[in-house]
Amino acid sequence: MVVGDFATEVDVLVVGGGPGGYVAAIRAAQLGKKVTLVDKGDLGGVCLNRGCIPSKALIHAADEAKKIQNSSHMGIEVDGVQIDFTKMIQWKDGVVKKLTGGVASLLKNNKVEVIQGEVYFSGTNTVKVATESNSTTYQFEDCIIATGSRPMEIPALPFDGEKIISSTEALSLKEIPKKLVVVGGGYIGLELGTAYSKLGSDVTILEGTDSLLPGVDASMVRMVKRNLKKLGVNVITKAMVQAADPSGTEVKVTAEVKGKEEIYTADKVLVAVGRTPNTDELGLDQAGIEVDEKGFIPVDKQMKTKTEHIYAIGDVAGQPMLAHKASYEGKIAAEAIAGQPSEVDYQAMPYVIFSDPELAYTGLTEQAAKEEGYDPVVSRFSFAANGRALSLDAADGFLQVVADKESKEILGVQIVGPEASSLIAQAVMAIETGINAEDIALTIHAHPSLPETLMEAAEGVMGNAIHMVNK
Ligand code: NAI
């Protein structure tokens, strides 16, 4: 800091107002700290403004539109469903607005000062905050970096915001693309590709590896693939996209498919090949912080960086890039700053993909359990045998429990089926609290309900399931 340059002093400076940053700021304020949160964009970060929330709103709207067209077997005849896409996007924007407004008021009520500006480290205890009108130096005791991530670009397919787009633009299109090529069959590609197919786009997904959702249990992904086929989505695996030419009326995408060059055309190309952490424009070296080869900030179990009073949470602190992981880490960092012995424990991390049907998993798969030296038992209950799933007309899929044969400890749960995103919560709670299969089996579950599938699978672990044949 230059002599004569007065600094504003704060206890905790939080950089970034997404689900990592705003949660950390609130928890630090609850613990008696004077907190300032700085974000160069809108409160709520990617998740609320350009990620989780708008995508789930669009996915839900697309689901509703498709369902109503496919309900004649239930006696619902619909004559021509009209989609007013402008109105759909407006409704989605309204959902986002309600939530971001809520975050602003929570921060205010917790007496967190919020500044819209860009942060640049100028030392190990100072930052410059550039707003539209001025630049101010802040001196902090502790700092939490929660600047999130941005869509990764393929150098040969630079985003132009019009024809070659990222998830950001895909969530605010003016009209439904007639032909959409999705590059990358990961979380984003699959979720948005499915939604646009349900809205009427002709969708092709090009995935570089030999399967959609690499790393996710193959038996779960199979169900999703089957539904994509029914929808008419063209899924091409082992398709490494090389280049795109947006100069014509349509974009021409060149990919190497199983060793051969293929060309695909579309009016929009959505590139969803991962995200890159926002750590390159913060002046981290001034704060004594180095990043790894992928740009992530190394941290310890309290989210402390190499510069001990500076913490990093969420996407900047490494995979998995999930909003709930960021919030969890934000609370740990704030508690550590307040002198509490909190540390992260990721054993019961939920993973949810809003595909059709939904996928959700937590803990260990059978294979991973074996690799960790367990003797696992696997019990799978099909949604086709669950009354609630059948009455919802959503009986595709299964819930599977992986437990330790001897102790009946729940090691992992994998779900593909209706409301998997909600059902996983009970499994996460079981792992987190150490409840075993017997405890779940002894718990009275409401009938008819989807969570009965967890009870039945747990009974299967015990060898006494009622609604399936025990192994
Ligand atoms: P991702 O890492 O999930 O998937 C990217 C896919 O692109 C991979 O399957 C990869 O093999 C493929 N790929 C890479 N280069 C390619 C090329 N040149 N040609 C063809 N395929 C190529 O990344 P995605 O979908 O962009 O999502 C980013 C992050 O956002 C994820 O890490 C995820 O955690 C998070 N996210 C979470 C959601 C949720 O929790 N429901 C929803 C959406 C995103």
Side-chain angles (χ1 to χ4, degrees), residues 164-179:
I164 303 177
I165 59 174
S166 72
S167 53
T168 303
E169 292 82 27
L171 291 168
S172 288
L173 292 178
K174 298 226 163 20
E175 51 192 43
I176 299 166
K178 283 187 189 62
K179 272 165 86 181

Side-chain angles (χ1 to χ4, degrees), residues 149-433:
S149 62
R150 60 181 183 271
M152 208 183 267
E153 203 169 42
I154 303 181
L157 272 79
F159 296 123
D160 63 12
E162 277 297 320
K163 287 183 184 162
I164 303 177
I165 59 174
S166 72
S167 53
T168 303
E169 292 82 27
L171 291 168
S172 288
L173 292 178
K174 298 226 163 20
E175 51 192 43
I176 299 166
K178 283 187 189 62
K179 272 165 86 181
L180 175 69
V181 163
V182 179
V183 182
Y187 277 50
I188 296 181
L190 188 58
E191 290 187 357
L192 291 181
T194 306
Y196 275 108
S197 167
K198 287 181 177 174
L199 291 172
S201 299
D202 174 0
V203 177
T204 298
I205 300 180
L206 302 174
E207 163 56 39
T209 68
D210 60 0
S211 172
L212 284 177
L213 298 171
V216 180
D217 191 84
S219 63
M220 298 166 77
V221 179
R222 210 172 296 132
M223 294 263 169
V224 175
K225 275 193 203 152
R226 208 175 61 195
N227 273 2
L228 286 172
K229 200 169 172 194
K230 271 195 223 158
L231 274 173
V233 175
N234 190 14
V235 177
I236 300 173
T237 52
K238 289 194 190 159
M240 279 313 280
V241 172
Q242 314 276 346
D245 175 8
S247 61
T249 43
E250 287 194 318
V251 197
K252 263 196 202 164
V253 179
T254 312
E256 195 188 294
V257 183
K258 298 169 186 102
K260 242 179 87 195
E261 192 179 287
E262 302 279 358
I263 290 182
Y264 302 88
T265 57
D267 38 342
K268 299 270 180 209
V269 178
L270 164 61
V271 180
V273 294
R275 299 183 61 89
T276 198
N278 292 325
T279 51
D280 43 350
E281 289 178 353
L282 289 167
L284 288 178
D285 49 336
Q286 305 273 343
I289 297 171
E290 284 163 13
V291 296
D292 70 12
E293 70 285 355
K294 290 193 169 150
F296 293 117
I297 303 173
V299 287
D300 69 7
K301 288 194 150 202
Q302 289 202 306
M303 311 312 295
K304 278 182 190 154
T305 67
K306 211 173 116 200
T307 303
E308 284 217 345
H309 59 280
I310 303 182
Y311 297 68
I313 61 165
D315 290 2
V316 294
Q319 299 283 3
M321 292 186 173
L322 298 170
H324 47 270
K325 172 205 164 244
S327 301
Y328 172 69
E329 291 175 346
K331 291 180 224 170
I332 299 286
E335 287 165 8
I337 287 171
Q340 295 184 6
S342 309
E343 284 189 350
V344 288
D345 172 1
Y346 301 115
Q347 194 194 355
M349 176 71 72
Y351 292 81
V352 174
I353 305 160
F354 292 81
S355 47
D356 184 1
E358 290 182 358
L359 293 173
Y361 55 97
T362 187
L364 304 176
T365 59
E366 181 184 14
Q367 181 63 27
K370 281 182 187 159
E371 280 163 18
E372 289 207 7
Y374 289 100
D375 182 10
V377 51
V378 178
S379 170
R380 179 183 285 195
F381 192 80
S382 167
F383 282 104
N386 174 267
R388 182 63 182 144
L390 282 162
S391 68
L392 287 169
D393 195 37
D396 278 350
F398 59 82
L399 180 149
Q400 175 172 289
V401 170
V402 179
D404 181 62
K405 202 174 197 171
E406 184 67 33
S407 67
K408 313 294 184 220
E409 177 191 352
I410 307 289
L411 302 173
V413 173
Q414 295 89 39
I415 313 171
V416 51
E419 291 297 331
S421 55
S422 300
L423 290 173
I424 199 68
Q426 198 185 347
V428 172
M429 174 107 74
I431 295 176
E432 179 64 32
T433 56

